[in-house]
């Protein structure tokens, strides 16, 4: 039995808008200041370690809206939260971020997309 339902047009529009709201968008449980799960906390820490420019970053608290919480899973075809989007493209969840952080792929992606904070000299 398949557990699949189509996104409503309202939810899809809200997700499109959220993904488009910043160059780097993290759908997470809680906020960057107060993450509500360990995976969301780890994802925020990875992005901070990578040096993502706060002005180019947006976080969406999926706990505030059940339609967003469920809809993002269908939108990305990824079953878990958190979920990272860079330049409107789905990158992955916490496990993917961790792997990309460790092997250097995330640093390359973020630099390529020009979303890192500029160091003042």
């Amino acid at each position: 039995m398949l557990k699949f339902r189509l996104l409503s047009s309202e939810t899809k529009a809200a997700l499109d808008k959220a993904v488009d709201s910043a160059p780097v968008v993290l759908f997470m449980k809680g906020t960057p200041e107060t993450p509500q799960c360990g995976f969301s906390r780890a994802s925020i820490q990875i992005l901070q370690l990578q040096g993502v420019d706060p002005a180019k970053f947006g976080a969406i608290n999926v706990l505030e809206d059940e339609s967003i919480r469920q809809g993002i899973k269908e939108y990305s075809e990824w079953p878990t939260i958190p979920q990272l989007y860079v330049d409107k493209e789905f990158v992955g969840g916490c496990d993917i971020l961790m792997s990309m952080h460790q092997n250097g792929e995330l640093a390359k992606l973020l630099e390529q997309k020009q979303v890192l904070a500029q160091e003042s000299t």
Side-chain angles (χ1 to χ4, degrees):
M1 184 167 136
L2 291 175
K3 283 188 166 184
F4 181 78
R5 64 182 178 95
L6 295 175
L7 282 174
S8 72
S9 57
E10 295 83 13
T11 300
K12 183 176 183 322
L15 291 167
D16 285 340
K17 184 177 179 180
V19 167
D20 197 30
S21 66
V24 179
V25 177
L26 182 69
F27 289 84
M28 63 181 292
K29 293 179 181 176
T31 65
E33 298 77 23
T34 56
Q36 298 296 307
C37 83
F39 298 113
S40 291
R41 175 176 284 110
S43 297
I44 287 293
Q45 289 173 337
I46 289 169
L47 295 174
Q48 289 171 341
L49 285 171
Q50 290 288 333
V52 170
D53 186 342
K56 296 181 179 181
F57 173 76
I60 309 297
N61 182 358
V62 300
L63 299 178
E64 293 179 346
D65 186 332
E66 188 63 23
S67 67
I68 296 295
R69 182 178 183 174
Q70 295 307 317
I72 191 62
K73 297 173 188 179
E74 294 173 34
Y75 187 84
S76 64
E77 298 180 0
W78 190 261
T80 59
I81 294 167
Q83 294 187 13
L84 181 69
Y85 285 78
V86 176
D87 198 20
K88 302 178 195 171
E89 291 185 29
F90 177 63
V91 175
C94 184
D95 53 343
I96 301 294
L97 286 182
M98 184 66 72
S99 175
M100 290 178 72
H101 172 64
Q102 291 172 341
N103 69 22
E105 289 178 31
L106 186 58
K108 289 177 192 171
L109 174 67
L110 297 172
E111 186 176 342
Q112 179 185 38
K113 299 295 184 177
Q114 300 178 341
V115 296
L116 299 176
Q118 300 301 312
E119 293 183 26
S120 55
T121 55

